[in-house]
Amino acid sequence: MSVDETFISHLVELRARLLRIISGLAVGFLPCAYYARELYSLLAQPLLEKLPQGGQMIATEVVTPFFVPMKVAMMTAFVITLPHTLYQVWAFVAPGLYAHEKRLVLPLVVVSSFLFICGMAFAYFAALPLVFEFITHFAPQGVAVMTDIGKYLDFVLTMFIAFGITFEVPIFVVILVRMGIVSIEKLKEVRRYVLVGAFVVGAIFTPPDVVSQFMLAVPLYLLYELGILVAGFIINPAPGPALMYSSNDQEKERELDGVEAQAKNPEEKSG
């Protein structure tokens, strides 16, 4: 098969996988759209519970009452169909990976997705209630706390992304150690700098209050320590070539060597 035919076949495969991802997302979106208002009410519950008596949320734009719940429905559909999406991505890239890469990448994809969802859950059940209680408690006398539903969604999405990425820290630590970029001993030496950096990150990516900063910084540092612990258990000394690569991997390497040799022969003949 020529290079052009191989490239076209990859494009066709990519198109098919993208269509399956979009179809799965559309199927998941339909029931979520039906319950869009209920989903937004559930998302807004951490704030609604902390509002003063008679407090409520408002919509300051004409189309906001429709589009904001639809955005929440789309976000929910994305989370629900995430396993299907990850499977399609994995099925597309798996044929080009070595056996030892397949054994490493698939668990990392599954665990990283699980940790990201755990970060979102931590933000929803632990961080947001404390943040809203702190903010509403310090509202000046005579000021009615009424948040726009669109602004609230943007705020919650920012918190979800910040905490979701924070919970990925153990994965980053394991990958860095696995690739030999940094050693476990070096990670232990820079603990004090990581602790300071965690509070800096908390100050940047959370609202300007001490509660949310602590709620992000403390888990970030603890997850860093967890990453060091996990890396110490699963990272073994680098195996020899015979153990690292299977027969399929060696066949792929021989094919690559043959392609490189064919590319060099015309240059040598022309010289």
Side-chain angles (χ1 to χ4, degrees):
M1 184 179 290
S2 65
V3 176
D4 292 338
E5 292 176 345
T6 303
F7 179 72
I8 292 175
S9 66
H10 286 324
L11 288 180
V12 173
E13 177 70 12
L14 178 61
R15 176 179 175 273
R17 296 295 176 184
L18 289 176
L19 287 176
R20 292 174 185 175
I21 291 174
I22 296 174
S23 300
L25 187 60
V27 172
F29 174 74
L30 292 177
C32 293
Y34 182 79
Y35 294 101
R37 293 182 298 177
E38 289 79 3
L39 289 173
Y40 187 86
S41 298
L42 182 63
L43 184 68
Q45 200 63 31
L47 176 60
L48 294 176
E49 291 179 350
K50 304 302 179 181
L51 288 177
Q53 186 69 25
Q56 59 183 351
M57 304 180 72
I58 61 174
T60 58
E61 298 181 7
V62 176
V63 296
T64 299
F66 172 78
F67 280 111
V68 170
M70 288 297 107
K71 290 179 181 179
V72 176
M74 180 63 71
M75 182 182 68
T76 306
F78 174 78
V79 174
I80 293 175
T81 60
L82 186 60
H84 174 262
T85 301
L86 293 177
Y87 173 77
Q88 297 300 327
V89 174
W90 167 252
F92 177 73
V93 302
L97 299 177
Y98 292 122
H100 68 280
E101 292 174 336
K102 293 180 182 179
R103 290 193 297 268
L104 178 64
V105 172
L106 183 57
L108 286 179
V109 170
V110 174
V111 174
S112 61
S113 302
F114 174 74
L115 289 177
F116 193 91
I117 295 175
C118 288
M120 294 174 60
F122 180 82
Y124 179 83
F125 290 105
L128 290 178
L130 290 177
V131 170
F132 295 142
E133 183 175 3
F134 178 85
I135 293 175
T136 55
H137 177 74
F138 279 91
Q141 186 70 25
V143 174
V145 181
M146 294 188 296
T147 303
D148 177 70
I149 60 175
K151 298 294 184 181
Y152 175 81
L153 178 61
D154 295 339
F155 173 80
V156 171
L157 287 180
T158 302
M159 294 288 286
F160 280 171
I161 293 173
F163 279 87
I165 294 176
T166 296
F167 274 64
E168 300 291 331
V169 168
I171 300 296
F172 297 148
V173 172
V174 171
I175 291 176
L176 290 175
V177 176
R178 178 74 180 182
M179 296 178 64
I181 298 176
V182 64
S183 64
I184 296 179
E185 291 73 18
K186 189 64 177 179
L187 292 173
K188 293 179 179 179
E189 291 178 3
V190 299
R191 279 170 169 161
R192 66 186 70 178
Y193 304 106
V194 173
L195 180 59
V196 175
F199 280 92
V200 172
V201 171
I204 294 175
F205 293 100
T206 58
D209 62 272
V210 179
V211 175
S212 58
Q213 182 180 3
F214 268 87
M215 293 296 293
L216 182 63
V218 173
L220 196 158
Y221 179 75
L222 293 178
L223 289 167
Y224 175 80
E225 294 289 346
L226 177 62
I228 295 177
L229 183 63
V230 173
F233 277 109
I234 69 174
I235 303 300
N236 298 320
L243 297 177
M244 271 190 78
Y245 300 100
S246 64
S247 58
N248 291 333
D249 296 342
Q250 295 173 0
E251 291 177 2
K252 286 185 179 182
E253 290 188 349
R254 285 196 292 269
E255 292 178 2
L256 292 175
D257 292 338
V259 173
E260 292 178 356
Q262 293 177 3
K264 291 180 180 179
N265 286 337
E267 297 179 358
E268 294 177 356
K269 291 179 181 180
S270 62

